[in-house]
Amino acid sequence: MSVERPDLLVVGSVAIDWIITPSAEREESVGGSATFFAMAAAYFASVRLVGVVGADFPQRTLADFRAAGVDAAGLRIVEDGLTFRWKGRYHENMNDRTTLETHLNVFESFVPSLPPGYESSEYLFLANIQPQLQLQVFERMVGPRLCGMDTMNLWIDVARDDLLRVIAKVDVLTINEEEARLLTGEHNLVKAARGIQRMGARNLVIKRGEYGALLFDESGDFFVAPALPLEEVIDPTGAGDSFAGGFMGYLARRGVPPSGASLRTAMIYGSVMASFCVEGFSYDRLRELDAAAIQARFRRFAQLTDFAHAHLLS
Ligand code: AMP
């Protein structure tokens, strides 16, 4: 991929997770929405990360951020605090999970502050974090060209009004299917999507785990991206955030206003990065990629649903 790297600012959680899957467990697994987003998006754009961690956060990850080209000057380290911790157990199907514990820790008193120059980043992603913090960052920005966001069921339940305020401001919302249903009370995803667009989301991506993702754009069009059928999923944690990293990273790299074709391509780069993410715990797989591996997988996705040469019955 070529040289020009636009600035893409992400604010979100940086976490230490405890992951339990039907076949494995990792107790100190670095995660967080901003971590996965940054490690995926760094292949496309110059990522600036804003978040907070405690003194228990591994130095190794700070080195990994540096190696990936992620600027972590906006990652505050609270010396007498503990990092946000999340514990989850995946069900047999690896698509559904139960949250066992959430400890906000340093996030409880976090006020995001942007290092000088960050406010003029051209691209912004408000990854999953308290909607109030998303709003604070959004309001400090000086007219980003494109702003995306993500959220989760917890915030739909406990901070709905703030969440609706952020949704109405951004250009793209990514949300998973259960959250789309929870937000709207609609089971049918097309109806849920239209409901969320009426709440002010211009472009909407509904993530469906192993079933791929749906795009509903502001022109009323929609598009379906598959997920790569994988024989073995090691850890689905962060798939949604890696999707968002590939999606926003591609749009930033293209630098054009999002349109039908660029949004569709972004959907595939998102799916590519999500498919790598689930092949390992934490960001293990994301950190070892290169442009050739990403392009090769993009081509695999193109083949996955290519029926242009199919015989059409006359
Ligand atoms: P995903 O699998 O893409 O939904 O993202 C999983 C990540 O979300 C994990 O690494 C968690 O640390 C993080 N996470 C879980 N709960 C929260 C929360 N309430 N706020 C922010 N991040 C969270």
Side-chain angles (χ1 to χ4, degrees):
M1 288 176 223
S2 65
V3 247
E4 210 195 313
R5 290 185 165 263
D7 292 321
L8 170 52
L9 173 62
V10 57
V11 58
S13 59
V14 179
I16 300 177
D17 296 335
W18 182 341
I19 305 296
I20 305 171
T21 75
S23 57
E25 179 163 347
R26 191 186 276 191
E27 201 176 319
E28 298 268 316
S29 187
V30 172
S33 54
T35 305
F36 290 109
F37 179 94
M39 292 302 281
Y43 288 99
F44 303 83
S46 197
V47 178
R48 297 164 155 180
L49 187 152
V50 169
V52 63
V53 293
D56 55 343
F57 194 70
Q59 286 293 324
R60 184 178 35 83
T61 299
L62 302 179
D64 288 338
F65 284 152
R66 270 193 298 278
V70 172
D71 177 355
L75 181 64
R76 215 181 123 213
I77 302 174
V78 179
E79 290 306 337
D80 58 353
L82 288 177
T83 302
F84 171 81
R85 288 192 180 241
W86 177 78
K87 180 176 182 181
R89 180 198 300 278
Y90 287 89
H91 302 186
E92 205 57 49
N93 65 14
M94 290 293 257
N95 226 17
D96 301 320
R97 70 181 178 206
T98 303
T99 290
L100 302 175
E101 290 172 28
T102 299
H103 303 280
L104 289 179
N105 295 334
V106 288
F107 264 113
E108 249 164 307
S109 52
F110 177 56
V111 181
S113 96
L114 304 186
Y118 270 38
E119 69 287 344
S120 48
S121 305
E122 289 186 292
Y123 297 88
L124 171 68
F125 191 72
L126 306 167
N128 178 26
I129 194 180
Q130 288 101 307
Q132 234 181 353
L133 299 182
Q134 293 178 314
L135 261 181
Q136 283 176 22
V137 171
F138 183 89
E139 266 148 22
R140 254 170 251 160
M141 299 297 291
V142 192
R145 292 180 70 182
L146 185 76
C147 176
M149 72 172 284
D150 192 25
T151 190
M152 72 180 299
N153 48 3
L154 175 67
W155 310 124
I156 298 172
D157 287 334
V158 308
R160 190 185 169 88
D161 290 347
D162 283 340
L163 179 62
L164 291 180
R165 236 167 270 144
V166 199
I167 288 177
K169 290 182 191 288
V170 300
D171 304 292
V172 188
L173 168 68
T174 67
I175 190 166
N176 76 31
E177 60 180 318
E178 284 316 319
E179 292 154 1
R181 291 185 174 119
L182 182 66
L183 188 57
T184 57
E186 282 286 359
H187 187 81
N188 178 289
L189 287 179
V190 180
K191 284 189 183 153
R194 298 299 177 225
I196 295 171
Q197 287 183 308
R198 277 195 298 276
M199 292 171 187
R202 310 229 280 279
N203 300 286
L204 175 70
V205 177
I206 299 188
K207 298 168 290 175
R208 307 189 60 220
E210 66 175 313
Y211 305 111
L214 305 170
L215 166 75
F216 298 84
D217 77 13
E218 59 186 330
S219 74
D221 196 11
F222 63 88
F223 178 68
V224 183
L228 188 68
L230 291 168
E231 208 161 302
E232 193 178 24
V233 170
I234 302 287
D235 172 15
T237 311
D241 311 305
S242 309
F243 178 99
F247 182 94
M248 286 293 297
Y250 169 77
L251 290 174
R253 174 61 77 89
R254 275 302 304 278
V256 291
S259 66
S262 66
L263 286 169
R264 284 170 180 232
T265 312
M267 289 287 285
I268 302 300
Y269 275 111
S271 307
V272 163
M273 299 316 284
S275 76
F276 282 123
C277 173
V278 304
E279 288 178 341
F281 274 104
S282 184
Y283 57 83
D284 291 359
R285 280 291 283 141
L286 292 176
R287 66 192 275 267
E288 59 191 28
L289 302 174
D290 57 24
I294 293 170
Q295 300 298 46
R297 189 155 292 186
F298 185 94
R299 282 192 286 274
R300 263 183 89 188
F301 267 86
Q303 286 157 5
L304 211 56
T305 52
D306 177 11
F307 58 91
H309 304 293
H311 182 72
L312 193 64
L313 282 178
S314 50

